[in-house]
Amino acid sequence: MPIVNIFMDYWFAEIITIGNEVLSGKTINTNAAHIARRLTSLGFTIRRITVVMDEIDEIVAAFKEAIYRKPKVIVSSGGLGPTWDDKTAEGLAKALGVNLELNKEAMNMILEKYSRMNIPITEERKKMAYLPSGAMPVRNDQGIAPGIYIYYENIDILATPGVPREMENVLENFIKDFIRNKPDVKYYEDYLYVEGIMESALAPYVKDLVKKYDIYIKTHPKGYELSHPILEIQIAASGKREDEIKFKVEKTKNELRDIIEKLNGIIRNSL
C-alpha cells in the first residue's frame, strides 16, 4: 500500500521572531501573532513559530532549519535596524550562503527618508541598506529600514523590522508586490472607513468577531487616537468557495457596522 502524505495539500509557513526582549518576557510576541493571522487569512497553515536571540549563530540556525523543512513562506521580524545588535540581514545572508552587499535601491529608500529630515547618513544608517546578495528591499512606509525579500529554493523569505507598525506595513507590501507562493484558495477582502471611534474602543469588538468568524480583521489608524480618530478597517478571508468567504466577510462587515453605530461612529465611503 502506498504511503500517503497527509500534509501534501498544505501550504505551510514558518515565522521567526528575533529579539532578546521577547525571550526575556519583556516584550510580548504580538508580531508573530499578527503574521500568523495574516498568513492564515491567505490560506497558509503555520507550521512553526521560532524565537531566537540577537545572536548571529542563533539567527543563522533558525533560518537554515526553517529552509530545511521547505515551507512555502518564511517571515521573520526584528533585527533590521542600525544598531550593533541588529543582525538579521547578516544572519540571513550566512544561512543562504551569500554575501551581504550594498543594495542601491535600499540605499535610495533610506537616503530619501533621511534627506527629507536633513539628517546625514552615517555608517550605522547605511548599514540598513546592506542586503543578502540577490535580495530585494521591501518598502517600509512607517519607518526607515526596508524589509528584505528573497526567493530561495522555491521559498518566499521575508525579513521585516521589529516595530509592529513597520512590520505590518512591510508584510502588506510583501503580500501585495512580492509573494510568489499563494495557496490554491479563493481570497476576498473588503474595507470599512470609520470616523469618530478610537482604535482602542473598537479593539474588544474586533477581537470577539475574529474568534466568532475565524476571520482576519485589522484596524489601520489614519487619524489621531484622542483628538480625531479615523480608522481603515480591513476584513479578509480565504477558502475553497468564493461565495462562502464573501458571505463571511459581508456578515462580519454588517456586524461591525452595527457596532460602529452603537459607538456613535461615522461610516465613510472612503478616506
Side-chain angles (χ1 to χ4, degrees), residues 51-264:
V51 185
V52 297
M53 300 174 67
D54 294 305
E55 296 292 341
I56 196 69
D57 291 342
E58 296 289 331
I59 297 168
V60 172
F63 276 114
K64 280 187 173 181
E65 289 165 12
I67 290 167
Y68 177 78
R69 290 186 287 269
K70 299 296 183 184
K72 297 292 187 182
V73 172
I74 299 169
V75 179
S76 75
S77 70
L80 295 187
T83 61
W84 65 271
D85 58 342
D86 288 312
K87 300 176 180 178
T88 298
E90 180 185 356
L92 177 56
K94 287 188 175 182
L96 300 177
V98 299
N99 294 323
L100 271 182
E101 59 183 29
L102 186 66
N103 183 282
K104 291 182 179 179
E105 186 179 355
M107 191 68 219
N108 287 337
M109 289 178 178
I110 292 167
L111 281 170
E112 191 272 332
K113 291 174 182 178
Y114 279 120
S115 63
R116 277 188 319 209
M117 299 180 285
N118 293 317
I119 296 175
I121 292 294
T122 61
E123 286 302 312
E124 289 76 16
R125 292 165 182 151
K126 187 177 179 181
K127 170 179 176 286
M128 294 182 285
Y130 279 86
L131 310 186
S133 178
M136 293 180 282
V138 182
R139 197 175 72 255
N140 178 356
D141 303 305
Q142 296 295 321
I144 303 296
I148 300 171
Y149 169 71
I150 191 164
Y151 191 66
Y152 179 79
E153 294 186 355
N154 300 318
I155 304 170
D156 284 304
I157 301 175
L158 172 70
T160 74
V163 178
R165 68 177 183 276
E166 296 185 35
M167 174 277 296
E168 292 173 16
N169 180 259
V170 169
L171 180 63
E172 290 303 313
N173 289 334
F174 158 72
I175 291 169
K176 178 182 176 183
D177 299 327
F178 291 93
I179 191 170
R180 299 191 193 185
N181 294 318
K182 293 184 180 179
D184 185 21
V185 296
K186 305 296 183 183
Y187 176 78
Y188 181 72
E189 67 180 15
D190 203 350
Y191 291 83
L192 274 173
Y193 305 98
V194 182
E195 189 173 353
I197 298 179
M198 292 186 291
E199 184 181 34
S200 57
L202 195 60
Y205 298 97
V206 168
K207 182 180 179 181
D208 290 343
L209 287 173
V210 167
K211 290 181 179 179
K212 181 177 180 180
Y213 291 111
D214 187 24
I215 200 167
Y216 177 82
I217 306 173
K218 177 60 185 174
T219 52
H220 301 278
K222 301 295 182 180
Y224 301 93
E225 172 80 353
L226 297 177
S227 60
H228 187 202
I230 299 173
L231 297 173
E232 177 187 76
I233 305 173
Q234 180 184 10
I235 310 162
S238 63
K240 293 294 184 182
R241 292 182 52 182
E242 189 171 4
D243 58 338
E244 289 181 353
I245 62 171
K246 282 188 175 182
F247 178 78
K248 181 190 285 191
V249 169
E250 288 303 315
K251 193 169 180 62
T252 304
K253 187 176 178 180
N254 289 334
E255 286 201 30
L256 270 172
R257 285 180 178 273
D258 292 339
I259 292 166
I260 289 162
E261 289 179 4
K262 289 177 183 178
L263 296 175
N264 298 316

